[in-house]
Amino acid sequence: MADRPTVVVIGTLDTKGPETAYLRDRVQALGAETVVVDSGILGGPDGIAPDVTREEVARAAGTTLEAVRAAGSRGAAVERMMAGVAETCRRLFAAGRCHGLVALGGAEGAVLAAAGMQALPLGVPKVLVTPLASGRRTFGPFVGTRDVMVMHSVIDILGLNEVSRAIFDQAAAAVAGMAAAGRPVARGARPLLAVTMLGNTTPAVMRMKPALEALGRDVLVFHANGVGGRAMEEMVGEGRIAAVLDYTLSELTDELAGGLHAGGPDRLEAAGARGIPQVVVPGCIDFIVAGPRDGLPDAWRGRATYYQNPAFTLVRTSREEMAAVGRTMARKLSAARGPVAVAIPLGGLSAANRPGGELHDPAGDAAFREALKAGLRPGIPVVEMDAHINDAAFADRVVALMRETAGLGGRPRSE
């Protein structure tokens, strides 16, 4: 990094020109260089000259500003410009001119800037100031799977006043400080092993983590909340992960059943496509993650539920859904190019799935096992153990299976 880090400042300069100029000046006053990128589409810059014009941003997307403006709808124009912002940020980072990124944005401006943030590696500071960082909104479009810091602007971004200046000053201080001290995530000396976890499987993962690290691996634990699994799959696809212990597959169930933690149609495929070792445990496939209990869809009312917290209710999956998860797992794992093993705890797949627990349904769990084993290609070992998913004995057996499957011990065997 240069003596003075460079911060990229993104704004729709036709509507946020003076505010972006103020933010730029504050970042510079804190010791950083700046590159101002104009992500606007209509009009022209207001009171600020960009370092990268909107015409250049459009060209980075392989189009022209005139074509963007003629896209036919506001959404189509923003979508094309998003590609240009993302490519612009990639180029600036590759050229050593992006050690951090900050942006001000309303509805379209925030989404445009977020496209650039999501194009940057992990560890590059990313600060987004927007009034949309509030209320019941989803933050997926802004954060994606990257380390984006989202600041609520409290008031809309129009004009400079005692409130906006204070918030913009904080954003400038945050990104300037992080750009001076931060760095992209670098590859370490030890291979990475990815593990998935929810609160329902935390005791087992906490027990396994030091044992896995003792095998010479750095362990990355991903929260299986619909974003964590996608982030893991992305890192596997990038070649950063050496092996996967997919201990928690709630994202697979939610993708099939419509839960809040849906992991996308490609969940449970990256490790197989990459050919790296993977051990798979069907943790938490026995419930669908829903919102507050009083807002459950009619189709799920009457099912067994578990009160996880005021925001989440866990809804027991039906036998048909459990069988569908088994078939899906079998299809995806059978296509894997690398070593695969499956471990199944017969005493329950989540914290509330045990005798006397709210989600206990042995017949439903059996439907999953039957579908999985019927669909798996020959040669994939399935280890079944009379234990609960959080039992120490089961966790220890999974560590041993991971060691065997990753080639650090003997061959795994069916039990």
Side-chain angles (χ1 to χ4, degrees):
M1 184 184 296
D3 291 338
R4 286 167 57 89
T6 300
V7 172
V8 174
V9 183
I10 298 179
T12 52
L13 302 187
D14 48 354
T15 61
K16 305 289 186 286
E19 297 81 6
T20 303
Y22 179 85
L23 181 63
R24 174 203 60 193
D25 293 346
R26 294 305 304 146
V27 171
Q28 291 178 353
L30 292 165
E33 305 286 350
T34 59
V35 175
V36 176
V37 175
D38 185 3
S39 61
I41 298 172
L42 302 175
D46 178 15
I48 179 175
D51 300 296
V52 180
T53 67
R54 59 185 60 189
E55 289 83 4
E56 292 174 300
V57 171
R59 286 198 295 271
T63 185
T64 64
L65 185 60
E66 292 73 20
V68 170
R69 289 172 171 171
S73 70
R74 188 172 185 175
V78 169
E79 187 174 0
R80 294 185 185 183
M81 208 65 167
M82 285 170 64
V85 172
E87 180 59 24
T88 297
C89 290
R90 290 190 195 97
R91 292 176 182 178
L92 289 170
F93 178 77
R97 299 181 65 205
C98 177
H99 304 112
L101 192 156
V102 66
L104 308 174
E108 282 74 32
V111 172
L112 285 161
M117 295 181 181
Q118 294 172 25
L120 295 175
L122 294 175
V124 177
K126 311 164 185 74
V127 180
L128 175 61
V129 183
T130 175
L132 298 188
S134 63
R136 298 175 62 85
R137 293 182 176 86
T138 175
F139 290 89
F142 308 131
V143 177
T145 59
R146 288 297 189 256
D147 50 339
V148 178
M149 186 174 84
V150 185
M151 279 183 72
H152 185 206
S153 63
V154 183
I155 61 175
D156 209 347
I157 300 171
L158 182 62
L160 296 169
N161 50 64
E162 62 186 39
V163 175
S164 63
R165 286 191 185 94
I167 291 171
F168 298 166
D169 287 354
Q170 292 171 13
V175 74
M178 289 190 290
R183 57 180 175 79
V185 175
R187 294 182 185 271
R190 286 158 55 98
L192 298 179
L193 191 155
V195 183
T196 52
M197 182 182 81
L198 279 180
N200 271 256
T201 52
T202 295
V205 174
M206 289 182 66
R207 180 177 178 85
M208 293 187 299
K209 184 174 179 290
L212 295 169
E213 291 171 338
L215 299 177
R217 300 292 185 264
D218 277 347
V219 176
L220 303 183
V221 180
F222 293 85
H223 196 251
N225 60 2
V227 178
R230 296 184 197 209
M232 180 187 74
E233 304 261 340
E234 284 185 10
M235 293 183 68
V236 169
E238 294 167 356
R240 299 182 67 92
I241 306 295
V244 171
L245 172 48
D246 220 339
Y247 204 83
T248 310
L249 286 174
S250 54
E251 294 166 316
L252 200 64
T253 298
D254 277 14
E255 180 67 25
L256 294 172
L260 295 178
H261 287 179
D266 299 331
R267 184 68 175 87
L268 195 61
E269 295 181 8
R274 192 80 186 180
I276 63 174
Q278 58 179 325
V279 170
V280 179
V281 177
C284 301
I285 66 163
D286 53 323
F287 59 72
I288 304 163
V289 180
R293 184 173 295 176
D294 58 4
L296 286 182
D298 291 340
W300 294 343
R301 292 186 180 276
R303 294 198 191 189
T305 62
Y306 179 74
Y307 180 58
Q308 180 74 10
N309 59 47
F312 295 129
T313 304
L314 309 183
V315 179
R316 174 69 210 204
T317 44
S318 68
R319 297 179 189 181
E320 293 75 16
E321 289 163 344
M322 290 292 283
V325 173
R327 290 190 295 270
T328 300
M329 282 183 58
R331 173 175 54 82
K332 290 174 180 279
L333 296 181
S334 294
R337 296 172 46 239
V340 182
V342 179
I344 304 175
L346 301 178
L349 304 173
S350 65
N353 183 354
R354 60 171 75 241
E358 293 89 336
L359 302 182
H360 188 54
D361 180 6
D365 296 348
F368 158 75
R369 294 194 301 272
E370 292 168 7
L372 173 71
K373 290 187 283 189
L376 277 177
R377 63 172 166 81
I380 295 180
V382 178
V383 175
E384 297 181 282
M385 187 173 178
D386 188 13
H388 187 264
I389 194 164
N390 285 321
D391 285 352
F394 181 74
D396 293 345
R397 181 64 186 94
V398 171
V399 170
L401 188 62
M402 186 76 251
R403 182 179 64 245
E404 297 162 7
T405 304
L408 302 176
R411 298 282 298 175
R413 61 189 186 280
S414 296
E415 297 179 1

